[in-house]
Amino acid sequence: MALVGGVGASALPSELIVHIFSFLSARDKLRASAVCSRWRECLFYPALWTELKLRVGGGTNGNGSGNDQTPKLEFLMRKIGSFVRELQLEFAPVEGYLSPLHGVEGRMEPTEGDPQFSDRWKDAMNTYLDQVLCVLNSIRSNRNLQKLCLFGDTCILQDEGILDSAQFHQVDQGSKKIKEIQMLFEEVLTNSWRVKWLSSAFMLGMVTPSSLAAMSNPSATSLEHLSLLDNQLPSLVPAIEIERLLNLRSLALDFCDFTSDMCRLLSRGDHMPLHRLSLLINGTVLASKPLVSEDDWKALVRHSGNLRVYIMALDVRSQDLLTVLKPSMPLERIHFDSYSTCTSVAAVELISLQYDKTLTHFILMRDDAGFPDLSVNRNEDPLVLLAWRCINLSVLVIHGYTVWAHNLVAISRLRGSNLRVLAVSEESIDFDPDPVFYLEEDPVHNLVKEVSLGLGRVWHPMMDTSVVLSEPFQHFYREMQSFSEGL
């Protein structure tokens, strides 16, 4: 577009160009930077890159392989790594690599010994390691970094048993890259002086029990949110490292890291009250873990009056969970996700009785062929009692358990419009012989009408189960982020 007198856009002052570019997305900024050298100079002005959110990895969003993305990532991080203040990256090393090999009609699914599978897996993991190294190298000297969020979407490999030491040694012999990643991560923590938010979730081998010790004293003082999740190591956050984090307001950990010693440290008078605590409980390690006592919970709640707790329980047996759910725990959200276990009536009833004033989110997921009936065909369905007792319940999601239609109507009427989310998969709903559902030819239509009336808005059973059958680690990471950011 020509300006007055025929002068081109190149005559605009740099300050005005920078202001115009401030309205562009990160992707559009990168595209615009290829126009000319002056635009590139303006586009990488520090004020335009105070924060960056990216998801990188194999074939993300159909943009080619991870190898294709690495040079672009290197270019971007080289330009902004030294001054970006808020950096949020998700690495997806398997996306676009392994999934096309699975479930292709007319072909057998590959095994771990399949040469094509092995080569693609190695390529994916090599790309992942190179991209993590690239990012950490670029921010290693950034003293103004305030928020660092890293998420490694490697859990599908862990779940399928592909990510064992023998397999991984083929990619990173002698663990050279992993050791360099660990060293660089510690260097970032040492050199950063203003970190307020530090989050590392399922970043393969990056965080060790000694990582937090490398954090500078200024950052230890300024840190308000800490989430270190791995689901692999027996312990990632030694309790002693919490002692100098005096201003923590939000904490997210693997349950094996949350000990009585840590609870007592967080309850001390020199620590700021904690507002959010997110715990990932893995049933395979729960049996061997000493539990936080009721007295320790009481002390923490006395010190942190506004504390709220979010729990995701992965394949946790109900009898084990009952020992975890202490009466003084201010539970606000709980998410059951299982393949091999089944949540019991006793667990649901305990939650509805103990946390009737605090519970807002209840998610019940089971990915198995059977759909157990918690009500055992009784009228006193524990989910209906949960909706009746928990006066602040706003999110209820159910898949993999039988929900009787008349009980679903009762839930909608009990909580009404305050129940913001009622997501029940279509295959989880069953119909009983109650004649009210046969007044019309189609009982599903009658159910939709009754539940919609109860909620005061249009409602339908959930047709797309991918909405609820998301990868549980990724779901926990994103929910934990929003839970903590909502302070």
Side-chain angles (χ1 to χ4, degrees):
M1 179 182 295
L3 299 179
V4 176
V7 180
S10 60
L12 291 173
S14 297
E15 293 81 0
L16 185 54
I17 295 177
V18 168
H19 179 70
I20 293 171
F21 287 158
S22 69
F23 296 97
L24 297 180
S25 66
R27 183 183 298 275
D28 289 338
K29 288 175 189 172
L30 288 176
R31 288 173 176 168
S33 70
V35 172
C36 64
S37 59
R38 183 155 184 259
W39 278 29
R40 180 172 298 181
E41 179 183 346
C42 292
L43 277 160
F44 287 104
Y45 187 74
L48 292 179
W49 296 92
T50 56
E51 63 176 305
L52 176 66
K53 298 179 182 180
L54 285 178
R55 181 172 172 85
V56 295
T60 303
N61 298 326
N63 291 327
S65 70
N67 281 328
D68 295 336
Q69 294 180 6
T70 301
K72 300 175 184 177
L73 180 66
E74 290 174 345
F75 169 77
L76 178 60
M77 295 309 302
R78 186 171 63 250
K79 288 288 188 181
I80 71 168
S82 61
F83 57 77
V84 65
R85 295 190 178 185
E86 297 185 9
L87 182 62
Q88 299 185 56
L89 293 181
E90 294 187 14
F91 298 91
V94 299
E95 191 174 320
Y97 281 85
L98 302 183
S99 54
L101 293 173
H102 289 270
V104 179
E105 187 175 353
R107 294 195 303 178
M108 292 182 63
E109 294 187 3
T111 63
E112 294 175 31
D114 188 316
Q116 185 184 12
F117 177 84
S118 177
D119 290 344
R120 288 162 70 90
W121 177 80
K122 291 177 183 177
D123 187 18
M125 294 313 300
N126 263 317
T127 299
Y128 165 79
L129 293 173
D130 289 343
Q131 289 175 341
V132 175
L133 282 168
C134 160
V135 170
L136 293 179
N137 261 309
S138 70
I139 63 174
R140 64 195 300 180
S141 301
N142 186 338
R143 292 191 180 274
N144 295 316
L145 192 65
Q146 296 181 16
K147 185 173 186 176
L148 178 62
C149 299
L150 302 176
F151 171 77
D153 198 355
T154 60
C155 300
I156 185 174
L157 298 178
Q158 296 173 1
D159 291 343
E160 295 182 4
I162 303 169
L163 210 55
D164 59 29
S165 56
Q167 290 265 12
F168 197 72
H169 182 71
Q170 300 176 32
V171 177
D172 185 22
Q173 294 187 4
S175 301
K176 292 180 180 178
K177 289 184 177 180
I178 285 292
K179 290 176 181 176
E180 186 178 357
I181 286 172
Q182 292 171 352
M183 179 194 71
L184 285 171
F185 181 63
E186 292 184 6
E187 192 172 341
V188 170
L189 297 184
T190 300
N191 293 332
S192 301
W193 286 5
R194 303 173 60 188
V195 174
K196 293 183 177 181
W197 186 292
L198 177 63
S199 174
S200 170
F202 317 113
M203 293 293 295
L204 185 63
M206 187 179 80
V207 184
T208 70
S210 62
S211 296
L212 272 182
M215 177 177 285
S216 67
N217 286 328
S219 282
T221 302
S222 63
L223 193 67
E224 296 179 0
H225 169 85
L226 174 67
S227 55
L228 297 180
L229 301 158
D230 187 270
N231 199 44
Q232 294 293 308
L233 295 173
S235 179
L236 204 62
V237 185
I240 192 65
E241 296 301 335
I242 299 296
E243 188 168 11
R244 63 189 185 123
L245 307 181
L246 301 178
N247 291 303
L248 271 186
R249 302 178 66 204
S250 174
L251 183 63
L253 300 170
D254 294 313
F255 186 69
C256 63
D257 284 341
F258 188 65
T259 62
S260 288
D261 288 342
M262 184 179 293
C263 198
R264 286 191 284 269
L265 280 171
L266 292 168
S267 305
R268 286 188 352 190
D270 58 344
H271 280 66
M272 286 286 289
L274 195 66
H275 288 255
R276 297 288 185 269
L277 176 62
S278 300
L279 298 171
L280 178 63
I281 305 179
N282 190 325
T284 59
V285 299
L286 184 58
S288 59
K289 187 211 180 266
L291 299 178
V292 176
S293 69
E294 170 69 359
D295 287 341
D296 290 329
W297 273 110
K298 285 180 178 179
L300 181 58
V301 172
R302 279 197 301 269
H303 178 67
S304 305
N306 294 320
L307 177 65
R308 290 295 179 264
V309 177
Y310 167 35
I311 285 178
M312 174 177 273
L314 296 174
D315 279 317
V316 178
R317 297 182 308 169
S318 289
Q319 57 265 41
D320 292 333
L321 188 66
L322 293 175
T323 65
V324 172
L325 299 175
K326 304 298 184 183
S328 295
M329 178 193 295
L331 184 68
E332 180 176 293
R333 306 182 185 195
I334 189 163
H335 179 162
F336 294 93
D337 208 307
S338 66
Y339 295 94
S340 59
T341 61
C342 178
T343 303
S344 68
V345 172
V348 178
E349 290 188 339
L350 178 72
I351 290 168
S352 68
L353 287 168
Q354 287 189 169
Y355 311 113
D356 56 310
K357 299 295 191 300
T358 59
L359 191 74
T360 63
H361 291 56
F362 187 85
I363 301 175
L364 190 60
M365 304 292 305
R366 190 167 185 267
D367 189 14
D368 198 8
F371 281 65
D373 179 7
L374 292 179
S375 71
V376 197
N377 294 317
R378 298 176 306 155
N379 289 327
E380 296 82 9
D381 186 295
L383 294 173
V384 175
L385 292 174
L386 181 92
W388 173 55
R389 292 169 177 152
C390 298
I391 58 176
N392 293 308
L393 188 69
S394 61
V395 174
L396 179 61
V397 180
I398 304 168
H399 171 75
Y401 292 81
T402 296
V403 182
W404 293 94
H406 70 283
N407 288 327
L408 195 54
V409 173
I411 290 170
S412 70
R413 291 174 178 173
L414 282 166
R415 293 272 59 91
S417 60
N418 292 324
L419 192 60
R420 294 186 295 102
V421 176
L422 176 60
V424 183
S425 60
E426 187 179 35
E427 58 262 49
S428 297
I429 301 173
D430 205 348
F431 293 88
D432 52 64
D434 190 330
V436 71
F437 290 101
Y438 294 92
L439 294 176
E440 298 189 31
E441 192 171 304
D442 182 6
V444 175
H445 174 76
N446 193 65
L447 171 67
V448 169
K449 182 183 73 174
E450 293 296 327
V451 174
S452 297
L453 285 172
L455 297 175
R457 64 179 184 272
V458 176
W459 176 89
H460 291 282
M462 193 162 40
M463 308 290 287
D464 182 9
T465 54
S466 66
V467 174
V468 291
L469 289 176
S470 58
E471 206 287 316
F473 294 105
Q474 186 179 84
H475 178 85
F476 178 76
Y477 167 73
R478 291 180 176 170
E479 286 296 302
M480 174 272 297
Q481 294 281 104
S482 63
F483 181 55
S484 297
E485 288 173 345
L487 286 175

